[in-house]
Amino acid sequence: MTEESKQQREFEAKIDLMRERIKDSDDLKVQDEVFDRRALMDLYALASKGVIASLGGAVSTGKEANIFRAKGDDDKDLAVKIYRINTSNFKAMQNYLLGDPRFGSIKGTKRAIITAWTRKEFRNLRRAEEVGVKVPHAIAMRENILVMEMVGTGRSPAPQLKDVRLEAREAERAFEKITEYVSLLYNRANLVHADLSEFNILYHDGEPVIIDMGQSVTREHPMARSFLERDISNLARHFGKKYAVGSEEAIKEKIRAGKDG
């Protein structure tokens, strides 16, 4: 057996092993679209490093990315986000990357853009967590795969803010906490979420958790102010309409006060 054929057999064995680690994912079409040979090898690499032990069924599926349940070697519940190479809107992604001084030089193939996007989300989550914003703890990333802690209980992810109904006092507290997070992101992490709404906030154990930070930009981004205004408007609209709580001015005042904090 030649060295090349030996390496190929080892490669195929690793692919097969990673397929065996993928549990109860019953949507074969999703499997074919997401778990191509390269993704399987990247998952195998993460498994070899002890990051993940097995991959379970889908938590959510979308055009840009799928999120799967997973277990770590310590039996900890994880979420594995895999960005789709073929169906992601990489032109829109470029607009968020090109104005970011950390990633502005990224050009080239779809895979290069999406890998940069995944790395950007990993860094943004870590940066947000460092300044005290409650986000999923980012554990590892490789190519288009991001591994995070699972926010939720057991096999059930925490609900989105849009799907919960809070008591009046809870709603006030949630609004104040999210407003504090917006201020911390802007003033201490130098970030704007850029897609903040009731769809990108989870609610777990009485606390809001900010998610989906791939598009988040630094304050130097030319659209940062516009994105911030949109985030503020979305939050004020949701809490005002559903709970008669909060206002755009209250959020802006918190951000202004945070500059001196």
Side-chain angles (χ1 to χ4, degrees), residues 106-143:
I106 300 294
K107 297 177 182 178
T109 65
K110 277 188 177 184
R111 181 170 288 277
I113 297 294
I114 292 169
T115 296
W117 186 271
T118 308
R119 187 165 69 251
K120 184 168 181 272
E121 181 162 21
F122 179 85
R123 289 181 60 178
N124 286 343
L125 287 170
R126 283 289 183 89
R127 196 160 174 171
E129 187 176 23
E130 285 172 0
V131 302
V133 176
K134 198 168 186 61
V135 297
H137 175 62
I139 295 168
M141 63 84 52
R142 185 179 177 93
E143 295 287 328

Side-chain angles (χ1 to χ4, degrees), residues 80-226:
V80 176
K81 188 173 189 177
I82 305 179
Y83 279 99
R84 294 168 175 258
I85 300 296
N86 293 324
T87 58
S88 291
N89 188 346
F90 79 106
K91 289 185 178 179
M93 289 178 168
Q94 278 184 308
N95 293 333
Y96 288 92
L97 288 166
L98 291 175
D100 192 319
R102 300 170 298 168
F103 299 93
S105 62
I106 300 294
K107 297 177 182 178
T109 65
K110 277 188 177 184
R111 181 170 288 277
I113 297 294
I114 292 169
T115 296
W117 186 271
T118 308
R119 187 165 69 251
K120 184 168 181 272
E121 181 162 21
F122 179 85
R123 289 181 60 178
N124 286 343
L125 287 170
R126 283 289 183 89
R127 196 160 174 171
E129 187 176 23
E130 285 172 0
V131 302
V133 176
K134 198 168 186 61
V135 297
H137 175 62
I139 295 168
M141 63 84 52
R142 185 179 177 93
E143 295 287 328
N144 60 321
I145 300 171
L146 174 63
V147 183
M148 304 168 283
E149 70 169 328
M150 172 67 80
V151 180
T153 305
R155 293 171 62 87
S156 301
Q160 294 169 298
L161 188 64
K162 72 180 181 68
D163 293 325
V164 299
R165 182 73 199 184
L166 304 176
E167 299 294 332
R169 186 172 295 180
E170 286 181 307
E172 290 178 5
R173 184 175 180 278
F175 176 79
E176 290 173 2
K177 181 60 70 172
I178 294 166
T179 298
E180 178 187 348
Y181 289 162
V182 172
S183 176
L184 286 171
L185 283 175
Y186 190 77
N187 290 305
R188 295 185 58 189
N190 196 42
L191 289 174
V192 174
H193 186 282
D195 192 26
L196 194 58
S197 73
E198 65 272 26
F199 292 87
N200 287 333
I201 302 172
L202 303 181
Y203 197 75
H204 180 56
D205 285 346
E207 294 287 341
V209 182
I210 308 295
I211 61 170
D212 289 342
M213 294 191 67
Q215 76 292 320
S216 300
V217 299
T218 62
R219 286 165 52 179
E220 292 77 18
H221 192 286
M223 293 292 291
R225 190 69 201 182
S226 176

Side-chain angles (χ1 to χ4, degrees), residues 10-79:
E10 289 176 352
F11 179 86
E12 296 295 342
K14 290 176 182 178
I15 292 277
D16 290 340
L17 178 60
M18 197 59 232
R19 284 198 179 103
E20 290 174 8
R21 289 175 184 252
I22 298 172
K23 314 291 186 183
D24 66 16
S25 187
D26 53 5
D27 189 334
L28 296 177
K29 185 173 184 293
V30 168
Q31 283 206 49
D32 291 341
E33 289 176 355
V34 176
F35 301 124
D36 59 18
R37 291 168 66 83
R38 189 157 181 175
L40 287 168
M41 286 303 294
D42 288 332
L43 286 166
Y44 178 83
L46 289 166
S48 297
K49 292 180 179 179
V51 177
I52 58 175
S54 65
L55 198 67
V59 172
S60 67
T61 60
K63 185 178 179 181
E64 306 291 338
N66 288 18
I67 301 177
F68 299 88
R69 291 188 301 273
K71 286 285 189 181
D73 277 350
D74 56 359
D75 205 40
K76 186 175 182 178
D77 291 314
L78 305 175

